Amino acid sequence: MIVATAGHVDHGKTSLIKSITGVDTDRLEEEKRRGLSINLGFAFKQNRDKTITGFIDVPGHKRFINTMIAGVSAIDVALLVVAADDGPMPQTYEHLEILHFLGVREYIGVITKIDRVKLDRVDYVASQMKDIMKTTCPVFPVCNQNSSGISELEEYLSVLS
């Protein structure tokens, strides 16, 4: 199974992949210096049943939208990542439109940075995500800093594979 991230710049897509796989998908010195994904990043995780889930981390900045399109053109599942403190932002909507256009049918919502807000804000962002995705899909609140919620997301991903 191939899973790709989607979402606005600085919403924690790369950190999410690192939390799940242990791999920092930002490899370029410029990416590390700027704290901004420029190229596609790749990681994988072996599941308990010995299957492998591959991950593609895409840039969220609007200047790299072509790179994002290349990364999601042949995926099985999209992780729509939204930061709890910001909520859905312009690239959230753009990435979602691209995913719909490319025929991606399986979505998982992920709310990151939940440690920065109160619980009612997380609930509000979750309802926004369900509205904009126009599909019934699970939404997982996570904190990449302390791994809160990561195991639940990993379990769900392992069931899909």
Side-chain angles (χ1 to χ4, degrees), residues 15-135:
S15 296
L16 177 65
I17 298 302
K18 186 174 184 181
S19 292
I20 295 170
T21 67
V23 175
D24 181 357
T25 57
D26 282 347
R27 302 170 319 280
L28 301 176
E29 186 175 318
E30 184 178 357
E31 290 176 315
K32 294 188 183 300
R33 182 174 42 78
R34 293 172 65 185
L36 174 76
S37 295
I38 296 169
N39 280 337
L40 297 174
F42 303 94
F44 71 92
K45 179 177 177 89
Q46 185 172 3
N47 301 311
R48 284 179 289 179
D49 66 357
K50 304 295 183 204
T51 60
I52 294 178
T53 300
F55 293 88
I56 303 171
D57 182 30
V58 305
H61 195 280
K62 66 182 177 182
R63 290 177 45 210
F64 304 114
I65 200 74
N66 289 342
T67 305
M68 180 274 179
I69 292 169
V72 299
S73 61
I75 63 168
D76 301 303
V77 179
L79 295 176
L80 186 66
V81 180
V82 175
D85 53 352
D86 281 343
M89 299 289 283
Q91 274 73 53
T92 308
Y93 294 97
E94 290 174 6
H95 283 198
L96 193 54
E97 285 181 36
I98 291 166
L99 292 166
H100 285 306
F101 179 74
L102 292 173
V104 175
R105 303 233 186 276
E106 189 77 39
Y107 296 89
I108 300 170
V110 181
I111 303 171
T112 59
K113 303 183 183 186
I114 61 171
D115 56 319
R116 298 183 182 187
V117 300
K118 294 183 178 179
L119 182 58
D120 61 335
R121 174 67 183 174
V122 174
D123 292 339
Y124 176 69
V125 172
S127 70
Q128 285 183 303
M129 290 180 74
K130 288 185 179 203
D131 286 345
I132 66 171
M133 286 191 282
K134 296 181 175 84
T135 183

